[in-house]
Each structure stands twice: as structure tokens, then as C-alpha cells.
């Protein structure tokens, strides 16, 4: 019996490590694809002279094209997170039994899945018992490196983009368990991440 338990633990550890590797590869792949789709690399953008920038502003004075590209990138980032969440949940929930309630599903995500995906468990889980769940992670690993002293609105908006991927991951994981939901993550208080599941 002890040998079976050790084998099961070794198998679970192997599954968790491969899931974390898949998560990191997906994030890296997203950033590489986004960079490849960009019309200029960062160094070339900086080398554009003022005349070329003036021409760009005349062609698109409101920046609508850039806004559309950013919105598309945000949607893709959340979709990549959704796909990664579904794939990781398949691996993490291999040995788990069927869940009876949504609360059981969310508890599983807070403990086992969150640890497999982000290296730690959720600090706080709250619910109103009517289908709203709030997950709080006081030191979220994906944004722990971001400085909490953000002053400009564009920087704050860029930091909020860090919440799109994890929100997609959690939504994909819960969808794989059979819970249709919408996940909104808030990273306004760095390095804290608050995810609302409806």
C-alpha cells in the first residue's frame, strides 16, 4: 500500500511540474507571437524621427488602430489563459473525484490547482452562497515583481493587463470542471490579486 502511495505522489508531482512548465511555455509563446506581429521591434520604434511620427498621427489621429490592436491582444491573452487553464485542469484533476457543488470546485481551484499553476495556495476564499466567489492572493507571483509605485494611468492599465492571463486560466479550469463562469481579476493593490468568479 505504501508503494502505491509513493507512486501516486511521484506521478502527481510529475503532472504538476509538467503543468507549470506548460503554463510558462504558453506565456512565453504569447509574448513572442505578440512581438512577431508588431510592425516594429522596440529599437526601431525609438529610432523613428519626429516627421514619421507626425505622419502616423495624421493617418490615425485618434490612435484607434493602436487601441484596436491592444484590445485584440488583451482578448488573445485571456483566451491563451483559458486554454492553459483547461489543459492544466485535465492534468491536475486526474486523481480527483467528481465535484458535487460549485463550492467544491472553487475550493479545489484554490488549493490544488492554484498551487500547481502559481506555486502557492490562495490566501482567502469568500462567498456569498449565491454564486459569487472572491479569491484573494496577497502576494500573487505573476505581479510580485511589479513596482507598487505606479503613477501614470497608462502604467496602471498595463499592470491590469497582467490580470487577464490568470483570469483566463481560472475561468478555463472551472469550465473544464463543468462550471460556466466569468472571472474578473483586479490587481489595483500590488502585489495583491483579487479574482471575482460569477
Amino acid at each position: 500500500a505504501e508503494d502505491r502511495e509513493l507512486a501516486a505522489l511521484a506521478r502527481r508531482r510529475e503532472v504538476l511540474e509538467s503543468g507549470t512548465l506548460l503554463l510558462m511555455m504558453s506565456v512565453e509563446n504569447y509574448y513572442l507571437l505578440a512581438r512577431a506581429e508588431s510592425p516594429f521591434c522596440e529599437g526601431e520604434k525609438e529610432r523613428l524621427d519626429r516627421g514619421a511620427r507626425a505622419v502616423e498621427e495624421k493617418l490615425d489621429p485618434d490612435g484607434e488602430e493602436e487601441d484596436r490592436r491592444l484590445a485584440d491582444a488583451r482578448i488573445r491573452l485571456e483566451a491563451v489563459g483559458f486554454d492553459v487553464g483547461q489543459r492544466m485542469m485535465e492534468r491536475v484533476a486526474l486523481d480527483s473525484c467528481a465535484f458535487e457543488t460549485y463550492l467544491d470546485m472553487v475550493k479545489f481551484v484554490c488549493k490544488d490547482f492554484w498551487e500547481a499553476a502559481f506555486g502557492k495556495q490562495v490566501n482567502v476564499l469568500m462567498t456569498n452562497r449565491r454564486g459569487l466567489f472572491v479569491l484573494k492572493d496577497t502576494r500573487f507571483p505573476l505581479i510580485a515583481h511589479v513596482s507598487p509605485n505606479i503613477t501614470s494611468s497608462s502604467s496602471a492599465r498595463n499592470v491590469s493587463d497582467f490580470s487577464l492571463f490568470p483570469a483566463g486560466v481560472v475561468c478555463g479550469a472551472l469550465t473544464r470542471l463543468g462550471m460556466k463562469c466569468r472571472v474578473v481579476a483586479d490587481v489595483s493593490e500590488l502585489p495583491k490579486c483579487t479574482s471575482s468568479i460569477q
Side-chain angles (χ1 to χ4, degrees):
E2 189 174 314
D3 291 337
R4 272 191 276 152
E5 289 178 13
L6 289 175
L9 284 174
R11 182 172 178 254
R12 187 173 189 155
R13 181 177 179 178
E14 183 179 303
V15 166
L16 292 177
E17 287 175 356
S18 64
T20 304
L21 181 62
L22 175 67
L23 173 70
M24 293 304 148
M25 286 174 30
S26 295
V27 170
E28 184 178 332
N29 189 27
Y30 167 77
Y31 283 112
L32 290 175
L33 286 175
R35 184 168 171 84
E37 291 176 3
S38 175
F40 304 102
C41 69
E42 290 299 317
E44 292 170 346
K45 282 183 183 179
E46 292 173 3
R47 292 187 194 121
L48 287 174
D49 62 346
R50 292 181 188 185
R53 289 184 185 172
V55 170
E56 284 179 0
E57 288 175 7
K58 286 181 182 175
L59 293 176
D60 189 17
D62 299 330
E64 292 175 9
E65 179 67 25
E66 181 68 21
D67 291 343
R68 186 184 59 76
R69 277 190 39 230
L70 287 173
D72 288 345
R74 288 181 180 114
I75 290 169
R76 280 195 318 258
L77 181 59
E78 193 166 4
V80 167
F82 185 86
D83 186 50
V84 168
Q86 285 191 325
R87 291 173 188 225
M88 282 190 70
M89 183 54 77
E90 287 176 0
R91 292 169 176 252
V92 172
L94 276 176
D95 300 329
S96 302
C97 59
F99 301 102
E100 295 179 14
T101 64
Y102 289 149
L103 181 61
D104 293 336
M105 293 177 194
V106 174
K107 283 182 181 178
F108 181 78
V109 166
C110 289
K111 292 179 182 177
D112 297 328
F113 181 78
W114 202 273
E115 187 168 346
F118 306 115
K120 60 184 294 262
Q121 292 183 359
V122 171
N123 297 103
V124 177
L125 167 64
M126 297 185 297
T127 181
N128 66 355
R129 303 279 183 188
R130 295 183 190 149
L132 176 68
F133 301 94
V134 178
L135 286 60
K136 292 185 179 181
D137 193 337
T138 55
R139 185 146 175 83
F140 190 59
L142 295 183
I143 58 170
H145 66 282
V146 178
S147 171
N149 300 326
I150 295 176
T151 55
S152 70
S153 63
S154 64
S155 296
R157 186 172 53 240
N158 291 342
V159 169
S160 71
D161 291 346
F162 279 97
S163 68
L164 295 173
F165 181 78
V169 169
V170 172
C171 187
L174 288 170
T175 301
R176 179 56 71 192
L177 291 177
M179 179 179 175
K180 302 290 182 202
C181 62
R182 190 177 75 116
V183 179
V184 178
D186 176 33
V187 291
S188 58
E189 298 177 32
L190 296 175
K192 188 184 296 185
C193 180
T194 304
S195 301
S196 300
I197 302 170
Q198 294 181 337

